[in-house]
Amino acid sequence: MGSVTIKDVAKAAGVSIQTVSRVINNKKELTQETRGRVLQVIDQNGLPAQYSCPQPGQPAFPLPLGYTIPDIVNPFFAEIVLGIQEKAQELGYIALQISTTENLDQERQILNRLEENQVSGVISISSRLPEDELVSLF
């Protein structure tokens, strides 16, 4: 196939582009048969050009970095948010900002959702969540 694209792999495997992406990023919601078909096409033709997998078993591109702040309108957090965004961009990550509105239950729920969705990392700026609880989440 030469310089293979994700579209080429999807067509050859008889699946969608999203399915190829899920296989490359080792998402769990696929059948073994589908995963096997996609991996066979990749083995025969190479990894799509837009993906460069640094290590086996790692995602082909960085997953988002999630971070929480207690109050988006508090100017105290502006410089922190700017620093997180700049560093994330410098490292090639997309940083997802989530304001918890100083609600402890909402913060727990958000942190659990970030962990479930396998983000690359989490930064939690919290004055309410106990440290031992935060550590146990990850």
Side-chain angles (χ1 to χ4, degrees):
M1 258 188 204
S3 182
V4 67
T5 68
I6 193 169
K7 190 174 183 179
D8 296 330
V9 172
K11 184 176 179 182
V15 298
S16 70
I17 291 170
Q18 292 83 1
T19 298
V20 174
S21 179
R22 287 183 184 112
V23 170
I24 290 171
N25 288 294
N26 204 23
K27 296 292 183 178
K28 298 174 186 161
E29 64 270 0
L30 300 168
T31 66
Q32 285 301 101
E33 189 259 329
T34 299
R35 185 179 304 282
R37 267 196 342 258
V38 172
L39 290 174
Q40 183 177 15
V41 172
I42 290 172
D43 285 344
Q44 292 171 351
N45 301 292
L47 196 61
Q50 65 264 47
Y51 290 92
S52 61
C53 199
Q55 297 175 0
Q58 294 296 314
F61 51 87
L63 296 169
L65 167 73
Y67 68 97
T68 64
I69 59 172
D71 184 0
I72 196 167
V73 297
N74 185 333
F76 171 79
F77 297 108
E79 213 166 317
I80 295 170
V81 166
L82 183 60
I84 291 171
Q85 291 287 351
E86 286 176 354
K87 192 63 172 177
Q89 185 175 15
E90 177 185 315
L91 296 172
Y93 289 93
I94 295 170
L96 305 173
Q97 175 185 304
I98 305 162
S99 177
T100 61
T101 62
E102 299 193 44
N103 179 317
L104 187 55
D105 290 333
Q106 183 179 2
E107 184 173 352
R108 283 185 180 111
Q109 181 181 25
I110 289 167
L111 290 171
N112 281 319
R113 295 297 283 289
L114 287 170
E115 192 265 338
E116 287 170 4
N117 286 295
Q118 301 175 340
V119 294
S120 292
V122 173
I123 298 171
S124 179
I125 304 168
S126 174
S127 60
R128 302 192 188 298
L129 192 64
E131 185 177 344
D132 60 331
E133 189 175 336
L134 182 61
V135 170
S136 72
L137 285 170
F138 299 92

